[in-house]
Short mmCIF file of all heavy atoms in Angstrom, two decimals:
data_model
loop_
_atom_site.label_atom_id
_atom_site.label_comp_id
_atom_site.label_asym_id
_atom_site.label_seq_id
_atom_site.Cartn_x
_atom_site.Cartn_y
_atom_site.Cartn_z
N MET A 1 15.03 2.88 -26.94
CA MET A 1 13.89 3.08 -27.83
C MET A 1 14.33 3.79 -29.10
O MET A 1 13.85 3.47 -30.17
CB MET A 1 12.81 3.86 -27.07
CG MET A 1 11.54 4.00 -27.82
SD MET A 1 10.70 2.43 -27.86
CE MET A 1 9.05 2.94 -28.07
N LEU A 2 15.22 4.76 -28.96
CA LEU A 2 15.69 5.50 -30.13
C LEU A 2 16.48 4.60 -31.08
O LEU A 2 16.32 4.70 -32.30
CB LEU A 2 16.56 6.69 -29.68
CG LEU A 2 17.05 7.61 -30.78
CD1 LEU A 2 15.87 8.28 -31.48
CD2 LEU A 2 17.98 8.65 -30.22
N LEU A 3 17.29 3.72 -30.52
CA LEU A 3 18.05 2.78 -31.35
C LEU A 3 17.12 1.84 -32.10
O LEU A 3 17.31 1.58 -33.29
CB LEU A 3 19.02 1.98 -30.48
CG LEU A 3 19.87 0.95 -31.21
CD1 LEU A 3 20.76 1.63 -32.24
CD2 LEU A 3 20.68 0.15 -30.24
N MET A 4 16.07 1.37 -31.41
CA MET A 4 15.11 0.47 -32.06
C MET A 4 14.41 1.20 -33.21
O MET A 4 14.21 0.62 -34.28
CB MET A 4 14.08 -0.02 -31.06
CG MET A 4 13.10 -0.99 -31.67
SD MET A 4 11.75 -1.45 -30.59
CE MET A 4 10.82 0.07 -30.52
N ASN A 5 14.05 2.46 -33.02
CA ASN A 5 13.39 3.22 -34.08
C ASN A 5 14.31 3.39 -35.27
O ASN A 5 13.88 3.27 -36.43
CB ASN A 5 12.94 4.58 -33.57
CG ASN A 5 11.78 4.49 -32.62
OD1 ASN A 5 11.07 3.49 -32.58
ND2 ASN A 5 11.57 5.53 -31.84
N ALA A 6 15.58 3.66 -35.03
CA ALA A 6 16.53 3.84 -36.13
C ALA A 6 16.75 2.53 -36.88
O ALA A 6 16.78 2.52 -38.12
CB ALA A 6 17.86 4.35 -35.57
N ILE A 7 16.86 1.44 -36.16
CA ILE A 7 17.05 0.14 -36.80
C ILE A 7 15.82 -0.25 -37.61
O ILE A 7 15.93 -0.71 -38.75
CB ILE A 7 17.38 -0.95 -35.74
CG1 ILE A 7 18.77 -0.71 -35.16
CG2 ILE A 7 17.26 -2.35 -36.33
CD1 ILE A 7 19.11 -1.58 -33.98
N PHE A 8 14.63 -0.01 -37.05
CA PHE A 8 13.41 -0.36 -37.77
C PHE A 8 13.24 0.52 -39.00
O PHE A 8 12.80 0.04 -40.05
CB PHE A 8 12.19 -0.26 -36.87
CG PHE A 8 11.00 -0.96 -37.45
CD1 PHE A 8 10.82 -2.31 -37.21
CD2 PHE A 8 10.09 -0.30 -38.25
CE1 PHE A 8 9.74 -3.00 -37.76
CE2 PHE A 8 9.02 -0.97 -38.82
CZ PHE A 8 8.84 -2.32 -38.57
N ALA A 9 13.58 1.80 -38.91
CA ALA A 9 13.49 2.69 -40.07
C ALA A 9 14.43 2.24 -41.18
O ALA A 9 14.05 2.22 -42.36
CB ALA A 9 13.79 4.13 -39.65
N ALA A 10 15.65 1.86 -40.82
CA ALA A 10 16.59 1.36 -41.82
C ALA A 10 16.07 0.05 -42.43
O ALA A 10 16.15 -0.14 -43.66
CB ALA A 10 17.97 1.13 -41.17
N PHE A 11 15.55 -0.82 -41.61
CA PHE A 11 14.97 -2.08 -42.10
C PHE A 11 13.82 -1.80 -43.06
O PHE A 11 13.72 -2.43 -44.12
CB PHE A 11 14.49 -2.92 -40.91
CG PHE A 11 13.65 -4.10 -41.28
CD1 PHE A 11 14.22 -5.23 -41.85
CD2 PHE A 11 12.28 -4.09 -41.06
CE1 PHE A 11 13.44 -6.32 -42.22
CE2 PHE A 11 11.50 -5.18 -41.41
CZ PHE A 11 12.08 -6.28 -41.98
N ALA A 12 12.94 -0.86 -42.71
CA ALA A 12 11.79 -0.55 -43.55
C ALA A 12 12.23 0.02 -44.90
O ALA A 12 11.66 -0.33 -45.94
CB ALA A 12 10.88 0.45 -42.83
N LEU A 13 13.24 0.87 -44.90
CA LEU A 13 13.74 1.43 -46.16
C LEU A 13 14.34 0.34 -47.05
O LEU A 13 14.12 0.34 -48.26
CB LEU A 13 14.77 2.52 -45.89
CG LEU A 13 14.20 3.81 -45.32
CD1 LEU A 13 15.32 4.77 -44.96
CD2 LEU A 13 13.24 4.45 -46.31
N ILE A 14 15.07 -0.58 -46.43
CA ILE A 14 15.66 -1.68 -47.21
C ILE A 14 14.56 -2.56 -47.79
O ILE A 14 14.61 -2.94 -48.96
CB ILE A 14 16.63 -2.50 -46.32
CG1 ILE A 14 17.87 -1.66 -46.00
CG2 ILE A 14 17.02 -3.80 -46.99
CD1 ILE A 14 18.76 -2.26 -44.93
N VAL A 15 13.55 -2.86 -46.98
CA VAL A 15 12.45 -3.70 -47.46
C VAL A 15 11.71 -3.01 -48.60
O VAL A 15 11.43 -3.62 -49.64
CB VAL A 15 11.48 -4.04 -46.30
CG1 VAL A 15 10.19 -4.63 -46.82
CG2 VAL A 15 12.15 -4.99 -45.33
N LEU A 16 11.38 -1.73 -48.45
CA LEU A 16 10.67 -1.01 -49.50
C LEU A 16 11.50 -0.94 -50.78
O LEU A 16 10.96 -1.10 -51.88
CB LEU A 16 10.31 0.39 -49.03
CG LEU A 16 9.05 0.49 -48.17
CD1 LEU A 16 8.89 1.91 -47.63
CD2 LEU A 16 7.83 0.08 -48.95
N PHE A 17 12.80 -0.69 -50.65
CA PHE A 17 13.67 -0.64 -51.83
C PHE A 17 13.69 -1.99 -52.54
O PHE A 17 13.54 -2.05 -53.76
CB PHE A 17 15.08 -0.21 -51.42
CG PHE A 17 16.04 -0.22 -52.58
CD1 PHE A 17 16.03 0.79 -53.52
CD2 PHE A 17 16.97 -1.24 -52.72
CE1 PHE A 17 16.89 0.78 -54.60
CE2 PHE A 17 17.85 -1.26 -53.78
CZ PHE A 17 17.81 -0.24 -54.72
N TYR A 18 13.86 -3.06 -51.79
CA TYR A 18 13.94 -4.38 -52.38
C TYR A 18 12.61 -4.79 -53.02
O TYR A 18 12.60 -5.38 -54.11
CB TYR A 18 14.38 -5.41 -51.33
CG TYR A 18 14.77 -6.73 -51.93
CD1 TYR A 18 15.89 -6.84 -52.74
CD2 TYR A 18 14.01 -7.86 -51.70
CE1 TYR A 18 16.25 -8.06 -53.30
CE2 TYR A 18 14.36 -9.08 -52.26
CZ TYR A 18 15.47 -9.17 -53.05
OH TYR A 18 15.81 -10.36 -53.62
N ILE A 19 11.51 -4.47 -52.37
CA ILE A 19 10.20 -4.77 -52.93
C ILE A 19 10.01 -4.01 -54.24
O ILE A 19 9.47 -4.53 -55.22
CB ILE A 19 9.07 -4.43 -51.92
CG1 ILE A 19 9.12 -5.38 -50.74
CG2 ILE A 19 7.70 -4.45 -52.58
CD1 ILE A 19 8.77 -6.82 -51.04
N ASN A 20 10.46 -2.74 -54.30
CA ASN A 20 10.34 -1.97 -55.53
C ASN A 20 11.22 -2.53 -56.64
O ASN A 20 10.82 -2.52 -57.81
CB ASN A 20 10.68 -0.50 -55.28
CG ASN A 20 9.51 0.25 -54.66
OD1 ASN A 20 8.37 -0.06 -54.94
ND2 ASN A 20 9.81 1.21 -53.83
N VAL A 21 12.39 -3.03 -56.30
CA VAL A 21 13.26 -3.67 -57.30
C VAL A 21 12.57 -4.91 -57.86
O VAL A 21 12.55 -5.13 -59.07
CB VAL A 21 14.63 -4.02 -56.68
CG1 VAL A 21 15.42 -4.94 -57.58
CG2 VAL A 21 15.42 -2.75 -56.39
N LEU A 22 11.99 -5.71 -56.98
CA LEU A 22 11.28 -6.91 -57.43
C LEU A 22 10.05 -6.57 -58.26
O LEU A 22 9.75 -7.24 -59.26
CB LEU A 22 10.89 -7.78 -56.23
CG LEU A 22 12.05 -8.44 -55.48
CD1 LEU A 22 11.52 -9.13 -54.23
CD2 LEU A 22 12.76 -9.41 -56.38
N THR A 23 9.33 -5.51 -57.86
CA THR A 23 8.15 -5.08 -58.62
C THR A 23 8.56 -4.60 -60.01
O THR A 23 7.89 -4.89 -61.01
CB THR A 23 7.41 -3.97 -57.87
OG1 THR A 23 7.08 -4.44 -56.56
CG2 THR A 23 6.13 -3.58 -58.58
N HIS A 24 9.65 -3.88 -60.07
CA HIS A 24 10.14 -3.40 -61.37
C HIS A 24 10.51 -4.59 -62.27
O HIS A 24 10.17 -4.60 -63.46
CB HIS A 24 11.35 -2.49 -61.17
CG HIS A 24 11.92 -1.94 -62.43
ND1 HIS A 24 11.24 -1.03 -63.21
CD2 HIS A 24 13.09 -2.20 -63.07
CE1 HIS A 24 11.98 -0.74 -64.27
NE2 HIS A 24 13.09 -1.45 -64.21
N ALA A 25 11.17 -5.58 -61.70
CA ALA A 25 11.52 -6.77 -62.48
C ALA A 25 10.26 -7.50 -62.95
O ALA A 25 10.21 -7.99 -64.08
CB ALA A 25 12.39 -7.70 -61.63
N LEU A 26 9.24 -7.57 -62.10
CA LEU A 26 7.98 -8.19 -62.49
C LEU A 26 7.33 -7.45 -63.65
O LEU A 26 6.88 -8.06 -64.62
CB LEU A 26 7.02 -8.23 -61.30
CG LEU A 26 5.59 -8.66 -61.63
CD1 LEU A 26 5.55 -10.17 -61.83
CD2 LEU A 26 4.65 -8.24 -60.53
N CYS A 27 7.30 -6.12 -63.55
CA CYS A 27 6.68 -5.31 -64.63
C CYS A 27 7.44 -5.48 -65.94
O CYS A 27 6.83 -5.52 -67.01
CB CYS A 27 6.64 -3.84 -64.23
SG CYS A 27 5.42 -3.50 -62.94
N LEU A 28 8.76 -5.59 -65.87
CA LEU A 28 9.54 -5.79 -67.09
C LEU A 28 9.32 -7.18 -67.67
O LEU A 28 9.15 -7.34 -68.89
CB LEU A 28 11.02 -5.57 -66.82
CG LEU A 28 11.47 -4.14 -66.55
CD1 LEU A 28 12.96 -4.11 -66.24
CD2 LEU A 28 11.13 -3.23 -67.71
N LYS A 29 9.32 -8.20 -66.79
CA LYS A 29 9.16 -9.57 -67.28
C LYS A 29 7.78 -9.81 -67.87
O LYS A 29 7.65 -10.48 -68.89
CB LYS A 29 9.42 -10.54 -66.13
CG LYS A 29 9.38 -11.98 -66.57
CD LYS A 29 9.81 -12.92 -65.49
CE LYS A 29 9.80 -14.34 -66.03
NZ LYS A 29 10.34 -15.28 -65.08
N LYS A 30 6.76 -9.28 -67.24
CA LYS A 30 5.38 -9.48 -67.72
C LYS A 30 4.98 -8.44 -68.76
O LYS A 30 3.86 -8.47 -69.24
CB LYS A 30 4.40 -9.43 -66.55
CG LYS A 30 4.57 -10.55 -65.56
CD LYS A 30 4.28 -11.88 -66.21
CE LYS A 30 4.42 -13.01 -65.22
NZ LYS A 30 4.17 -14.31 -65.82
N GLN A 31 5.89 -7.53 -69.07
CA GLN A 31 5.67 -6.47 -70.07
C GLN A 31 4.39 -5.69 -69.78
O GLN A 31 3.54 -5.48 -70.64
CB GLN A 31 5.63 -7.05 -71.47
CG GLN A 31 6.94 -7.68 -71.88
CD GLN A 31 6.89 -8.33 -73.23
OE1 GLN A 31 5.83 -8.52 -73.82
NE2 GLN A 31 8.06 -8.69 -73.74
N ILE A 32 4.27 -5.26 -68.54
CA ILE A 32 3.12 -4.47 -68.12
C ILE A 32 3.31 -3.04 -68.61
O ILE A 32 4.39 -2.46 -68.48
CB ILE A 32 2.97 -4.51 -66.58
CG1 ILE A 32 2.73 -5.95 -66.13
CG2 ILE A 32 1.85 -3.59 -66.11
CD1 ILE A 32 2.71 -6.13 -64.63
N ALA A 33 2.27 -2.47 -69.18
CA ALA A 33 2.34 -1.11 -69.71
C ALA A 33 2.61 -0.11 -68.60
O ALA A 33 2.31 -0.35 -67.43
CB ALA A 33 1.03 -0.76 -70.41
N ASP A 34 3.21 1.02 -68.98
CA ASP A 34 3.58 2.05 -68.00
C ASP A 34 2.36 2.54 -67.22
O ASP A 34 2.45 2.82 -66.01
CB ASP A 34 4.26 3.22 -68.68
CG ASP A 34 5.66 2.87 -69.18
OD1 ASP A 34 6.23 1.89 -68.65
OD2 ASP A 34 6.17 3.57 -70.06
N VAL A 35 1.24 2.65 -67.89
CA VAL A 35 0.02 3.13 -67.23
C VAL A 35 -0.39 2.17 -66.12
O VAL A 35 -0.76 2.58 -65.03
CB VAL A 35 -1.12 3.29 -68.27
CG1 VAL A 35 -2.41 3.67 -67.59
CG2 VAL A 35 -0.74 4.29 -69.33
N HIS A 36 -0.30 0.89 -66.39
CA HIS A 36 -0.71 -0.12 -65.40
C HIS A 36 0.38 -0.35 -64.36
O HIS A 36 0.06 -0.68 -63.21
CB HIS A 36 -1.06 -1.43 -66.08
CG HIS A 36 -2.24 -1.32 -67.00
ND1 HIS A 36 -3.51 -1.03 -66.55
CD2 HIS A 36 -2.34 -1.45 -68.34
CE1 HIS A 36 -4.34 -1.00 -67.57
NE2 HIS A 36 -3.65 -1.25 -68.68
N SER A 37 1.63 -0.21 -64.74
CA SER A 37 2.70 -0.45 -63.77
C SER A 37 2.66 0.57 -62.64
O SER A 37 3.05 0.25 -61.52
CB SER A 37 4.06 -0.45 -64.47
OG SER A 37 4.40 0.82 -64.94
N VAL A 38 2.19 1.78 -62.91
CA VAL A 38 2.07 2.78 -61.85
C VAL A 38 1.08 2.29 -60.80
O VAL A 38 1.33 2.42 -59.59
CB VAL A 38 1.63 4.15 -62.43
CG1 VAL A 38 1.27 5.13 -61.33
CG2 VAL A 38 2.71 4.71 -63.32
N ARG A 39 -0.03 1.70 -61.25
CA ARG A 39 -1.01 1.18 -60.30
C ARG A 39 -0.47 -0.02 -59.55
O ARG A 39 -0.75 -0.19 -58.36
CB ARG A 39 -2.29 0.82 -61.03
CG ARG A 39 -3.08 2.06 -61.43
CD ARG A 39 -4.50 1.71 -61.78
NE ARG A 39 -4.54 1.26 -63.18
CZ ARG A 39 -5.60 0.77 -63.75
NH1 ARG A 39 -6.72 0.65 -63.08
NH2 ARG A 39 -5.57 0.40 -65.02
N VAL A 40 0.31 -0.85 -60.23
CA VAL A 40 0.91 -2.01 -59.58
C VAL A 40 1.87 -1.55 -58.49
O VAL A 40 1.83 -2.05 -57.36
CB VAL A 40 1.64 -2.91 -60.61
CG1 VAL A 40 2.44 -3.99 -59.92
CG2 VAL A 40 0.65 -3.53 -61.58
N PHE A 41 2.74 -0.59 -58.80
CA PHE A 41 3.67 -0.06 -57.82
C PHE A 41 2.94 0.55 -56.64
O PHE A 41 3.30 0.32 -55.48
CB PHE A 41 4.58 1.01 -58.45
CG PHE A 41 5.85 0.46 -59.02
CD1 PHE A 41 5.94 0.18 -60.37
CD2 PHE A 41 6.94 0.21 -58.22
CE1 PHE A 41 7.11 -0.32 -60.91
CE2 PHE A 41 8.12 -0.29 -58.74
CZ PHE A 41 8.20 -0.55 -60.09
N ARG A 42 1.89 1.34 -56.91
CA ARG A 42 1.15 1.98 -55.84
C ARG A 42 0.51 0.95 -54.92
O ARG A 42 0.60 1.05 -53.68
CB ARG A 42 0.09 2.92 -56.40
CG ARG A 42 -0.61 3.74 -55.32
CD ARG A 42 -1.67 4.68 -55.86
NE ARG A 42 -1.11 5.55 -56.88
CZ ARG A 42 -1.66 5.73 -58.08
NH1 ARG A 42 -2.78 5.13 -58.39
NH2 ARG A 42 -1.12 6.55 -58.95
N PHE A 43 -0.13 -0.06 -55.51
CA PHE A 43 -0.79 -1.09 -54.72
C PHE A 43 0.21 -1.85 -53.85
O PHE A 43 -0.02 -2.05 -52.64
CB PHE A 43 -1.53 -2.06 -55.65
CG PHE A 43 -2.19 -3.18 -54.92
CD1 PHE A 43 -3.38 -2.98 -54.25
CD2 PHE A 43 -1.63 -4.45 -54.92
CE1 PHE A 43 -3.99 -4.02 -53.57
CE2 PHE A 43 -2.23 -5.49 -54.24
CZ PHE A 43 -3.43 -5.27 -53.57
N ILE A 44 1.31 -2.27 -54.44
CA ILE A 44 2.30 -3.03 -53.69
C ILE A 44 2.95 -2.18 -52.61
O ILE A 44 3.16 -2.63 -51.48
CB ILE A 44 3.34 -3.66 -54.64
CG1 ILE A 44 2.66 -4.75 -55.48
CG2 ILE A 44 4.54 -4.22 -53.88
CD1 ILE A 44 3.53 -5.38 -56.52
N ASN A 45 3.24 -0.92 -52.90
CA ASN A 45 3.84 -0.05 -51.90
C ASN A 45 2.89 0.24 -50.75
O ASN A 45 3.31 0.28 -49.59
CB ASN A 45 4.32 1.26 -52.55
CG ASN A 45 5.62 1.08 -53.28
OD1 ASN A 45 6.41 0.21 -52.97
ND2 ASN A 45 5.84 1.92 -54.26
N VAL A 46 1.61 0.42 -51.05
CA VAL A 46 0.64 0.65 -49.98
C VAL A 46 0.52 -0.59 -49.09
O VAL A 46 0.54 -0.48 -47.86
CB VAL A 46 -0.72 1.06 -50.56
CG1 VAL A 46 -1.82 0.99 -49.52
CG2 VAL A 46 -0.65 2.47 -51.14
N CYS A 47 0.43 -1.75 -49.70
CA CYS A 47 0.33 -3.00 -48.92
C CYS A 47 1.59 -3.21 -48.07
O CYS A 47 1.50 -3.59 -46.89
CB CYS A 47 0.11 -4.18 -49.85
SG CYS A 47 -1.51 -4.21 -50.60
N THR A 48 2.75 -2.97 -48.64
CA THR A 48 4.00 -3.14 -47.90
C THR A 48 4.09 -2.14 -46.75
O THR A 48 4.51 -2.49 -45.65
CB THR A 48 5.21 -2.97 -48.83
OG1 THR A 48 5.07 -3.88 -49.93
CG2 THR A 48 6.50 -3.24 -48.11
N THR A 49 3.68 -0.90 -47.00
CA THR A 49 3.71 0.11 -45.94
C THR A 49 2.77 -0.25 -44.80
O THR A 49 3.10 -0.10 -43.63
CB THR A 49 3.35 1.49 -46.52
OG1 THR A 49 4.25 1.79 -47.58
CG2 THR A 49 3.44 2.57 -45.47
N ILE A 50 1.58 -0.76 -45.14
CA ILE A 50 0.65 -1.20 -44.10
C ILE A 50 1.25 -2.33 -43.28
O ILE A 50 1.16 -2.32 -42.03
CB ILE A 50 -0.70 -1.61 -44.73
CG1 ILE A 50 -1.43 -0.39 -45.26
CG2 ILE A 50 -1.57 -2.36 -43.73
CD1 ILE A 50 -2.63 -0.71 -46.12
N LEU A 51 1.89 -3.28 -43.93
CA LEU A 51 2.53 -4.39 -43.19
C LEU A 51 3.68 -3.89 -42.31
O LEU A 51 3.84 -4.35 -41.17
CB LEU A 51 3.04 -5.43 -44.17
CG LEU A 51 1.97 -6.31 -44.82
CD1 LEU A 51 2.58 -7.17 -45.91
CD2 LEU A 51 1.27 -7.16 -43.78
N LEU A 52 4.47 -2.95 -42.82
CA LEU A 52 5.58 -2.42 -42.01
C LEU A 52 5.07 -1.63 -40.81
O LEU A 52 5.62 -1.74 -39.71
CB LEU A 52 6.49 -1.55 -42.88
CG LEU A 52 7.37 -2.30 -43.87
CD1 LEU A 52 8.02 -1.33 -44.83
CD2 LEU A 52 8.42 -3.11 -43.13
N ILE A 53 4.03 -0.84 -40.99
CA ILE A 53 3.47 -0.07 -39.89
C ILE A 53 2.88 -1.01 -38.84
O ILE A 53 3.10 -0.81 -37.63
CB ILE A 53 2.42 0.94 -40.40
CG1 ILE A 53 3.11 2.05 -41.17
CG2 ILE A 53 1.60 1.51 -39.23
CD1 ILE A 53 2.17 2.98 -41.89
N SER A 54 2.17 -2.03 -39.28
CA SER A 54 1.58 -2.96 -38.31
C SER A 54 2.67 -3.75 -37.56
O SER A 54 2.53 -3.99 -36.36
CB SER A 54 0.61 -3.91 -38.99
OG SER A 54 1.28 -4.73 -39.90
N SER A 55 3.73 -4.10 -38.24
CA SER A 55 4.81 -4.80 -37.53
C SER A 55 5.55 -3.87 -36.59
O SER A 55 5.98 -4.27 -35.50
CB SER A 55 5.77 -5.47 -38.51
OG SER A 55 6.35 -4.52 -39.35
N TYR A 56 5.67 -2.58 -36.94
CA TYR A 56 6.28 -1.60 -36.03
C TYR A 56 5.43 -1.45 -34.77
O TYR A 56 5.96 -1.44 -33.66
CB TYR A 56 6.45 -0.25 -36.72
CG TYR A 56 7.00 0.81 -35.81
CD1 TYR A 56 8.35 0.82 -35.45
CD2 TYR A 56 6.18 1.80 -35.27
CE1 TYR A 56 8.84 1.78 -34.60
CE2 TYR A 56 6.67 2.76 -34.43
CZ TYR A 56 8.00 2.74 -34.09
OH TYR A 56 8.50 3.69 -33.24
N VAL A 57 4.11 -1.35 -34.95
CA VAL A 57 3.23 -1.24 -33.79
C VAL A 57 3.34 -2.49 -32.93
O VAL A 57 3.36 -2.40 -31.70
CB VAL A 57 1.78 -1.00 -34.27
CG1 VAL A 57 0.78 -1.14 -33.12
CG2 VAL A 57 1.66 0.38 -34.90
N GLU A 58 3.43 -3.64 -33.54
CA GLU A 58 3.59 -4.89 -32.80
C GLU A 58 4.88 -4.89 -31.99
O GLU A 58 4.90 -5.26 -30.81
CB GLU A 58 3.58 -6.07 -33.77
CG GLU A 58 3.85 -7.41 -33.15
CD GLU A 58 2.60 -8.07 -32.63
OE1 GLU A 58 1.51 -7.64 -33.01
OE2 GLU A 58 2.75 -9.02 -31.84
N VAL A 59 5.97 -4.46 -32.59
CA VAL A 59 7.26 -4.42 -31.89
C VAL A 59 7.20 -3.43 -30.73
O VAL A 59 7.66 -3.73 -29.61
CB VAL A 59 8.40 -4.06 -32.87
CG1 VAL A 59 9.68 -3.73 -32.14
CG2 VAL A 59 8.64 -5.20 -33.84
N VAL A 60 6.65 -2.26 -30.96
CA VAL A 60 6.55 -1.25 -29.89
C VAL A 60 5.65 -1.76 -28.77
O VAL A 60 5.97 -1.60 -27.59
CB VAL A 60 6.02 0.08 -30.46
CG1 VAL A 60 5.64 1.04 -29.35
CG2 VAL A 60 7.06 0.72 -31.36
N TYR A 61 4.55 -2.40 -29.12
CA TYR A 61 3.64 -2.93 -28.10
C TYR A 61 4.33 -3.99 -27.25
O TYR A 61 4.17 -4.00 -26.03
CB TYR A 61 2.40 -3.51 -28.76
CG TYR A 61 1.45 -4.17 -27.82
CD1 TYR A 61 0.65 -3.41 -26.97
CD2 TYR A 61 1.34 -5.56 -27.77
CE1 TYR A 61 -0.21 -4.02 -26.07
CE2 TYR A 61 0.46 -6.18 -26.88
CZ TYR A 61 -0.32 -5.41 -26.04
OH TYR A 61 -1.17 -6.00 -25.17
N ARG A 62 5.08 -4.86 -27.89
CA ARG A 62 5.75 -5.95 -27.11
C ARG A 62 6.90 -5.41 -26.25
O ARG A 62 7.18 -5.97 -25.21
CB ARG A 62 6.26 -7.02 -28.06
CG ARG A 62 5.16 -7.85 -28.65
CD ARG A 62 5.70 -9.01 -29.47
NE ARG A 62 4.63 -9.70 -30.14
CZ ARG A 62 4.06 -10.80 -29.63
NH1 ARG A 62 4.47 -11.30 -28.50
NH2 ARG A 62 3.09 -11.38 -30.30
N THR A 63 7.56 -4.34 -26.69
CA THR A 63 8.65 -3.80 -25.86
C THR A 63 8.13 -2.96 -24.70
O THR A 63 8.87 -2.73 -23.75
CB THR A 63 9.61 -2.96 -26.71
OG1 THR A 63 8.89 -1.90 -27.33
CG2 THR A 63 10.31 -3.81 -27.75
N MET A 64 6.89 -2.49 -24.78
CA MET A 64 6.34 -1.68 -23.72
C MET A 64 5.83 -2.52 -22.54
O MET A 64 5.55 -2.00 -21.48
CB MET A 64 5.18 -0.80 -24.23
CG MET A 64 5.62 0.25 -25.16
SD MET A 64 6.66 1.41 -24.28
CE MET A 64 7.00 2.55 -25.58
N LYS A 65 5.66 -3.82 -22.75
CA LYS A 65 5.16 -4.70 -21.68
C LYS A 65 6.15 -4.80 -20.55
O LYS A 65 7.28 -4.80 -20.59
CB LYS A 65 4.84 -6.08 -22.25
CG LYS A 65 3.54 -6.13 -22.94
CD LYS A 65 3.26 -7.56 -23.31
CE LYS A 65 1.84 -7.70 -23.82
NZ LYS A 65 1.52 -9.07 -24.14
#
């Protein structure tokens, strides 16, 4: 269980980092103002975090069976 938690945490950090890189590229390409890009980053990070938490719960639930 500890190994699975460590692997999932590393996976989540990689996903969040890559999503932030892509979001930054989107904000630069679309020339989104700094004021609005903060909201874009917050929205995307919250959505990504919700998806990662739900997939973690799914993995833990399936391994407990």
Side-chain angles (χ1 to χ4, degrees):
M1 186 72 155
L2 184 63
L3 179 62
M4 183 187 70
N5 289 342
I7 291 172
F8 196 87
F11 169 74
L13 289 174
I14 291 169
V15 167
L16 278 173
F17 176 76
Y18 192 67
I19 292 293
N20 280 327
V21 168
L22 291 174
T23 305
H24 180 68
L26 171 75
C27 289
L28 290 178
K29 184 172 182 174
K30 295 296 182 181
Q31 297 176 348
I32 298 174
D34 289 339
V35 176
H36 297 295
S37 68
V38 170
R39 286 196 276 173
V40 171
F41 270 97
R42 186 180 305 130
F43 178 77
I44 291 176
N45 282 334
V46 167
C47 290
T48 305
T49 303
I50 290 169
L51 286 172
L52 287 170
I53 290 171
S54 65
S55 59
Y56 176 76
V57 169
E58 175 88 15
V59 168
V60 168
Y61 176 74
R62 289 186 186 264
T63 58
M64 292 295 181
K65 280 186 171 182

